[in-house]
């Protein structure tokens, strides 16, 4: 048995008995070579997906031009389709010269090319997605997700006639281009997202470093504020002690000195003994008040506290010399104020009476304490020779820049009034001298 001879037509698709066998074979071989070359061009174009839509589109247009030996190649996307893809219009002329890239126009284009670009942009190329192939012109729509998003068109010279193989190659190129464009857009989105994530991460690190720096600055500021607060507390305490010394100890010592000065004159022995006993008592009280101020103890009045009118009554008869007659007037129903408020009012009255006795040359002084619905009014008036206008000027100077400590008593009285929500006033008294008055709320939240 002889072996069956292989049929050449099964291998080549041609019958060897025809006289056109070799020309057809050569034509098929050339088409096959073109197809293989075209597929290679297509694969090279599509691997540019990761480089972005612009690089991909340029590679696709060049692959179509090289496969068809085209004079003109058009790639265009319809308005609104694939918004992230670019360039949206590309025209390659002879020798792959770019004549149009997006909106950058080069030399004038043929009318057929211009009309084709406009038809693709406006999606007026028809609803069909089948390629249209003529002898020297090819138009292949780019379809994606059931719709046409653009097209590839080409014009070839007379020596290059298009056939069904070219139609298949362009269809493959168009379909793969649509998928590649979509993948490229997704890749770019992912890449953009990664960049934004990295940027956000870097920004978060910078923010964390900035917060750490701000936190260190805040801690340093807090330490400075703490030191400033401690200095303020010490300064306030120094002012409190100085004010207490002036308003209590100084008055007691000077009153004792006044009693001793009277004893130096020619007075009866009994009166001299009485005044020396009073000076001794004032000196002892001054020592106690000094100790209380230094060690920030409570005032002796708080231990066996009496009412404000009673304390003012004691003040009017203990410190004053015989030449100054002091009277107390109480109006309204007394209400209990806070210990600090009553102490402040008592110190204001004491300072005012002391100034009257030492500086005013007065013979008479009147303490008036009036309880009203919402406030308590205290005034100390005398018939001395003091000038209210001059005292107001001295008060402003003492509050602003008291260098040598003079007129500190006026500033202390004003400060005590403010501490309890009141205001100190210096006016002309009806009995001829100066009237020091203060009005404070009867209750404060």
């Amino acid at each position: 048995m002889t072996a069956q001879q292989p049929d050449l037509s099964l291998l080549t698709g041609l019958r060897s008995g025809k006289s056109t066998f070799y020309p057809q074979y050569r034509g098929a071989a050339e088409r096959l070579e073109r197809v293989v070359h075209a597929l290679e061009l297509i694969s090279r174009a599509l691997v540019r997906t990761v480089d972005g839509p612009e690089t991909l589109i340029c590679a696709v247009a060049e692959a179509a031009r090289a496969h068809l030996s085209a004079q003109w190649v058009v790639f265009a996307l319809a308005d609104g389709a694939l918004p992230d893809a670019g360039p949206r219009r590309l025209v390659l002329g002879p020798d792959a010269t770019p004549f149009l890239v997006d909106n950058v126009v080069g030399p004038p284009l043929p009318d057929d090319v211009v009309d084709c670009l406009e038809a693709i942009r406006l999606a007026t190329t028809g609803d069909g997605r089948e390629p249209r192939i003529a002898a020297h012109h090819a138009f292949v729509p780019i379809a994606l997700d059931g719709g046409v998003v653009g097209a590839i068109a080409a014009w070839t010279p007379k020596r290059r006639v298009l056939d069904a193989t070219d139609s298949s190659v362009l269809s493959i190129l168009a379909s793969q281009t649509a998928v590649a464009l979509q993948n490229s857009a997704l890749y770019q989105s992912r890449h953009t997202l990664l960049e934004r994530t990295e940027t956000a991460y870097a920004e978060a690190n910078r923010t964390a470093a900035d917060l750490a720096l701000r936190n260190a600055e805040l801690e340093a500021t807090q330490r400075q504020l703490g030191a400033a607060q401690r200095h303020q507390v010490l300064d306030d305490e120094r002012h409190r002690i100085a004010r207490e010394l002036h308003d209590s100890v100084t008055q007691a010592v000077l009153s004792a000195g006044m009693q001793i000065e009277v004893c130096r004159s020619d007075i009866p022995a009994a009166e001299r003994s009485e005044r020396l006993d009073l000076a001794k008592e004032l000196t002892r009280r001054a020592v106690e008040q000094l100790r209380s101020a230094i060690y920030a103890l409570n005032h002796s009045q708080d231990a066996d506290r009496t009412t404000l009118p009673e304390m003012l009554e004691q003040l009017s008869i203990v410190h004053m010399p015989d030449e100054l007659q002091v009277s107390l007037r109480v109006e309204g129903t007394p209400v209990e104020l806070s210990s600090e408020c009553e102490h402040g009012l008592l110190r204001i009255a004491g300072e005012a009476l002391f100034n009257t006795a030492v500086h005013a040359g007065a013979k008479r002084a009147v303490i008036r304490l009036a309880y009203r619905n919402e406030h308590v009014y205290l005034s100390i008036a005398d018939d001395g020779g003091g000038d209210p206008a001059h005292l107001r000027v001295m008060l402003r100077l003492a509050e602003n820049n008291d260098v040598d400590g003079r007129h500190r008593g006026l500033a202390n009285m004003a400060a005590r009034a403010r501490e309890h929500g009141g205001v100190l006033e210096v006016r002309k008294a009806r009995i001829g001298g100066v009237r020091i008055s203060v009005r404070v709320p009867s209750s404060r939240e």
Side-chain angles (χ1 to χ4, degrees), residues 10 23 43 53 74 87 91 136 153 226 241 243 267 324 339 349 357:
L10 296 178
S43 64
V74 169
V91 175
H136 299 287
I241 294 175
R243 189 168 63 186
I267 59 175
L324 181 64
S339 175

Side-chain angles (χ1 to χ4, degrees), residues 109-354:
L109 296 171
D111 293 341
D112 292 345
V113 173
V114 174
D115 294 341
C116 180
L117 281 169
E118 192 67 11
I120 297 174
R121 186 181 69 83
L122 299 177
T124 59
T125 57
D127 297 333
R129 290 183 291 171
E130 296 297 326
R132 299 195 294 274
I133 303 295
H136 299 287
H137 175 59
F139 184 91
V140 181
I142 299 175
L144 181 65
D145 297 333
V148 176
V149 298
I152 300 175
W155 288 262
T156 61
K158 293 182 178 180
R159 69 177 185 277
R160 180 65 167 87
V161 179
L162 303 178
D163 53 23
T165 301
D166 298 321
S167 176
S168 299
V169 170
L170 289 180
S171 296
I172 294 173
L173 180 61
S175 62
Q176 295 302 314
T177 298
V179 175
L181 282 174
Q182 191 176 43
N183 291 338
S184 179
L186 294 174
Y187 178 83
Q188 291 300 316
S189 298
R190 179 177 177 273
H191 184 67
T192 302
L193 180 60
L194 289 176
E195 288 182 343
R196 290 177 180 175
T197 302
E198 292 175 355
T199 302
Y201 182 74
E203 183 66 24
N205 287 336
R206 287 193 295 270
T207 302
D210 186 65
L211 287 176
L213 177 61
R214 296 293 182 268
N215 186 57
E217 293 176 351
L218 180 59
E219 291 179 350
T221 303
Q222 288 176 338
R223 289 193 295 269
Q224 294 174 356
L225 286 176
Q229 289 174 349
R230 290 191 293 271
H231 286 300
Q232 182 65 38
V233 169
L234 292 176
D235 190 60
D236 291 343
E237 185 63 13
R238 284 194 294 268
H239 281 83
R240 186 194 68 79
I241 294 175
R243 189 168 63 186
E244 289 296 329
L245 291 175
H246 183 280
D247 292 352
S248 59
V249 178
T250 303
Q251 293 180 17
V253 172
L254 290 178
S255 296
M258 292 172 59
Q259 299 298 330
I260 295 173
E261 184 66 25
V262 173
C263 292
R264 295 177 61 184
S265 62
D266 187 13
I267 59 175
E271 182 181 351
R272 180 179 291 107
S273 177
E274 181 181 349
R275 287 185 179 276
L276 288 175
D277 289 341
L278 179 57
K280 178 181 178 181
E281 175 63 21
L282 290 173
T283 305
R284 183 191 63 79
R285 186 174 300 174
V287 172
E288 292 177 354
Q289 291 171 340
L290 179 61
R291 184 182 298 112
S292 176
I294 293 176
Y295 294 99
L297 298 177
N298 292 329
H299 300 288
S300 59
Q301 293 87 346
D302 296 338
D304 49 350
R305 178 178 173 181
T306 58
T307 64
L308 180 59
E310 292 173 342
M311 290 188 287
L312 290 174
E313 182 69 28
Q314 296 173 5
L315 178 68
S316 65
I317 63 176
V318 172
H319 292 282
M320 299 303 110
D322 292 341
E323 292 80 8
L324 181 64
Q325 301 298 321
V326 181
S327 60
L328 173 65
R329 298 177 185 176
V330 180
E331 302 173 5
T333 303
V335 296
E336 184 176 354
L337 304 175
S338 67
S339 175
E340 293 80 6
C341 183
E342 290 187 349
H343 177 73
L345 293 176
L346 183 63
R347 290 306 184 198
I348 291 174
E351 176 67 21
L353 286 176
F354 177 79

Side-chain angles (χ1 to χ4, degrees), residues 26-38:
R26 286 196 299 272
E30 291 175 358
R31 287 194 297 274
L32 179 61
E33 184 177 355
R34 289 203 311 272
V35 169
V36 172
H37 182 63

